[in-house]
Amino acid sequence: MARAREVRAILASDAAARDKAAETPYAEVALLKDAGLVTLLGPTAEGGGGQEWPLAYKVVREVAAGDGSVGQLLGYHYLWFWAARLVGTEEQIAAVEADATRNRWFFGGAVNPRDSDVQIRDEGDHIVYSGRKSFSTGSKVSDVTVLEGVLTGTDTHVFAIVPSDQPGITFHDDWDNIGQRLTESGSVTIADVQVPWEAAAGFVDRTFQPRVYNTLNVPTIQLVFVNFYLGIARGALEEAIEYTRTRTRPWLHGGQERAVDEPYQLDLYGDLASKLWAVEALADQVAEEGLAIHHDAAGVTEQQRGEHEVRVAAVKARATDVSLEITSTVFEGLGARATAAALGFDRFWRNVRTHTLHDPVAYKRREVGAFLLRDELPEPTWYS
């Protein structure tokens, strides 16, 4: 966490300028590597941190407070680093995690379920991926990319990890959105990328070995989302507090000599901080609840998985609402001069607004309601 705080401070020092420039974040990813954060989940025998998801989420939150884009990149990296553990065999998990940790691989992923499936040809000893995805977060800054597709003529999906820098993968540099501008989330074309069958995650003798644990991708990545939303909100709130302490002028008809003595300022910041602290506490609690599942990957039941997803859905809904509220409402405590473009206070709201549209929050609330009123567990899908 000390390393994460140091990284946050470095990122925050010029975050507004880098957001405006929107250049490929090579230096930012190098900073994450040099700080030892990319190998946080890796085995200690290979130089990794040997840590688990609750700490990884907190690190994502801390980094996102300095720069929301970099927090998202790190969170997605953790997810794809863990992908071998999600669906791989024991041998694949050990090999991938050792190589990734030793070589400090930074992971990207071309797995967008809203697009048509990437098609996979079976060519004997190899399978061959071809297709296009609208989003590939991490793209040019990644060392390896997680591909997912379906074997042509079947409904069999296959994950594989491949080098990002190869002729068969073309990143199109077309991410031009209002927020999360440094996430390298543009589209990608995949053309005849070969993968040996033994590298197909979770397959033994070309047959997939299913487990309930394979469906943990959604609650896990949704908690990644929760934590970089909350990190962005914390960054906005703490920068706003510092600005109000040092630069906001009291209202000329308010009867106070300092902005920090105005009752409405005390109420505003007290209200926003209370809401943030509450959701951070819930996020930490839900992350700890998930540890039992991660510790029993072979034995987790559908009931355990479903109840965990409901809790994740609940905190996702609250984190969405609170982060949007904080990043827009802080302007009321800053004053008109704080809208200067050079300060970049708008980036916090733009970042949260952009990514919270990833999947409709109403469907998260629906999952919670259906569980409470009808005892329905969320059906495992790409979004639940």
Side-chain angles (χ1 to χ4, degrees):
M1 288 305 300
R3 294 281 185 90
R5 286 189 286 271
E6 291 172 4
V7 168
R8 172 190 173 176
I10 293 168
L11 293 172
S13 67
D14 62 350
R18 288 183 297 100
D19 173 77
K20 188 174 183 179
E23 296 176 350
T24 301
Y26 294 115
E28 290 86 336
V29 170
L31 175 64
L32 296 176
K33 289 185 175 184
D34 291 343
L37 298 184
V38 301
T39 54
L40 181 73
L41 297 177
T44 56
E46 301 296 340
Q51 298 300 312
E52 298 187 274
W53 272 113
L55 182 60
Y57 292 133
K58 290 179 181 179
V59 167
V60 168
R61 191 190 309 167
E62 191 70 28
V63 171
D67 187 314
S69 290
V70 182
Q72 179 183 335
L73 282 170
L74 182 60
Y76 276 51
H77 160 78
Y78 287 148
L79 179 87
W80 297 126
F81 180 101
W82 168 79
R85 191 165 293 275
L86 173 71
V87 294
T89 65
E90 291 298 324
E91 294 77 15
Q92 289 169 335
I93 293 168
V96 168
E97 292 187 351
D99 286 345
T101 303
R102 189 182 313 116
N103 296 300
R104 300 196 308 173
W105 285 348
F106 196 78
F107 280 72
V111 183
N112 176 25
R114 295 297 298 273
D115 292 332
S116 298
D117 287 318
V118 169
Q119 293 298 303
I120 304 174
R121 304 192 309 273
D122 185 348
E123 295 192 349
D125 292 338
H126 290 75
I127 53 177
V128 182
Y129 288 76
S130 292
R132 182 182 175 92
K133 287 293 183 180
S134 299
F135 304 104
S136 181
T137 293
S139 65
K140 291 195 301 183
V141 296
S142 64
D143 299 300
V144 292
T145 296
V146 175
L147 300 182
E148 183 275 335
V150 63
L151 284 168
T152 301
T154 76
D155 59 358
T156 301
H157 290 258
V158 187
F159 283 86
I161 299 168
V162 301
S164 299
D165 184 10
Q166 61 171 290
I169 295 180
T170 303
F171 299 115
H172 295 290
D173 296 325
D174 51 4
W175 177 250
D176 185 23
N177 291 47
I178 64 170
Q180 297 299 81
R181 300 180 68 205
L182 276 67
T183 59
E184 292 293 305
S185 293
S187 63
V188 59
T189 298
I190 302 148
D192 296 329
V193 173
Q194 292 192 0
V195 176
W197 257 114
E198 58 263 27
F203 282 75
V204 176
D205 296 328
R206 305 189 187 188
T207 301
F208 186 66
Q209 310 298 306
R211 301 175 297 168
V212 173
Y213 190 73
N214 302 150
T215 66
L216 261 289
N217 58 313
V218 171
T220 303
I221 196 170
Q222 291 283 328
L223 280 178
V224 168
F225 298 168
V226 163
N227 282 282
F228 69 76
Y229 296 169
L230 294 177
I232 295 168
R234 174 168 286 281
L237 183 61
E238 292 184 353
E239 284 201 22
I241 289 169
E242 181 62 21
Y243 186 95
T244 298
R245 281 175 174 166
T246 59
R247 300 178 64 176
T248 299
R249 298 184 298 175
W251 184 236
L252 70 165
H253 301 303
Q256 303 292 337
E257 295 185 0
R258 303 185 305 168
V260 295
D261 295 324
E262 293 182 295
Y264 86 88
Q265 292 278 19
L266 302 177
D267 176 74
L268 174 73
Y269 284 109
D271 180 53
L272 296 180
S274 299
K275 291 173 179 176
L276 178 63
W277 294 344
V279 184
E280 286 177 334
L282 178 58
D284 291 343
Q285 185 179 53
V286 174
E288 291 291 338
E289 292 167 4
L291 267 185
I293 293 175
H294 290 298
H295 286 168
D296 187 22
V300 61
T301 67
E302 293 181 1
Q303 185 73 26
Q304 288 174 306
R305 189 268 183 203
E307 291 180 0
H308 181 55
E309 166 60 19
V310 168
R311 295 281 286 169
V312 171
V315 71
K316 167 72 176 303
R318 297 311 307 141
T320 296
D321 292 345
V322 167
S323 60
L324 286 169
E325 179 182 4
I326 289 173
T327 55
S328 61
T329 305
V330 289
F331 283 97
E332 296 175 17
L334 297 174
R337 293 188 178 192
T339 61
L343 295 173
F345 274 109
D346 61 307
R347 75 185 186 278
F348 298 107
W349 178 85
R350 288 188 288 103
N351 286 341
V352 171
R353 180 68 285 176
T354 296
H355 200 282
T356 51
L357 297 173
H358 178 277
D359 53 295
V361 69
Y363 284 85
K364 294 301 173 189
R365 293 191 292 266
R366 179 187 180 279
E367 286 181 22
V368 178
F371 175 73
L372 295 174
L373 296 176
R374 303 199 297 250
D375 296 321
E376 288 182 11
L377 294 176
E379 178 184 354
T381 70
W382 286 106
Y383 288 97
S384 64

